[in-house]
């Protein structure tokens, strides 16, 4: 699951010019006016930083502590990478 995630992050970073390390981390803080005007639909939650940047938001990253998974298994794999790329194409156009 790490390799498909790295591939997806690299592609998103280089096609959107929004340079973050991990687009899958959902721990984020936004100003209310940015968050309320994003126009999210479908599964565009992966691209919240890109949508925020399009509205002029400035962003920075902070280290967070990631704990190992205790229960269940990851649902992220190569097939999910293709879905992310399809969503990216949809969002860009």
């Amino acid at each position: 699951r790490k390799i498909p995630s790295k591939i997806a992050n690299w592609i998103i970073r280089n096609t959107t010019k929004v340079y973050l390390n991990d687009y899958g981390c959902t721990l984020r803080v936004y100003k209310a006016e940015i968050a309320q005007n994003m126009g999210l639909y479908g599964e565009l939650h992966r691209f919240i930083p890109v949508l925020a940047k399009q509205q002029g938001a400035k962003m920075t990253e902070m280290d967070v502590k990631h704990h190992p998974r205790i229960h269940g298994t990851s649902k992220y794999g190569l097939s999910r990478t293709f879905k992310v790329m399809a969503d990216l194409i949809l969002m860009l156009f």
Side-chain angles (χ1 to χ4, degrees), residues 24-83:
C25 180
T26 56
L27 181 58
R28 300 184 177 126
V29 177
Y30 295 96
K31 290 184 178 182
E33 61 269 14
I34 295 291
Q36 291 169 349
N37 295 316
M38 277 192 210
L40 286 177
Y41 59 90
E43 295 193 27
L44 290 182
H45 61 275
R46 293 177 191 92
F47 305 109
I48 289 175
V50 177
L51 296 169
K53 185 80 168 198
Q54 288 175 345
Q55 292 186 42
K58 294 178 183 173
M59 56 191 79
T60 188
E61 291 183 286
M62 297 178 66
D63 289 335
V64 295
K65 194 176 267 190
H66 291 276
H67 300 283
R69 182 184 302 271
I70 297 172
H71 303 287
T73 59
S74 173
K75 312 245 181 332
Y76 203 95
L78 194 55
S79 63
R80 184 133 174 159
T81 303
F82 294 120
K83 185 171 179 113

Side-chain angles (χ1 to χ4, degrees), residues 7-27:
I7 292 168
N9 284 325
W10 184 87
I11 292 171
I12 295 168
R13 190 179 306 116
N14 288 293
T15 56
T16 64
K17 305 301 181 207
V18 175
Y19 299 101
L20 297 176
N21 289 315
D22 185 9
Y23 295 87
C25 180
T26 56
L27 181 58

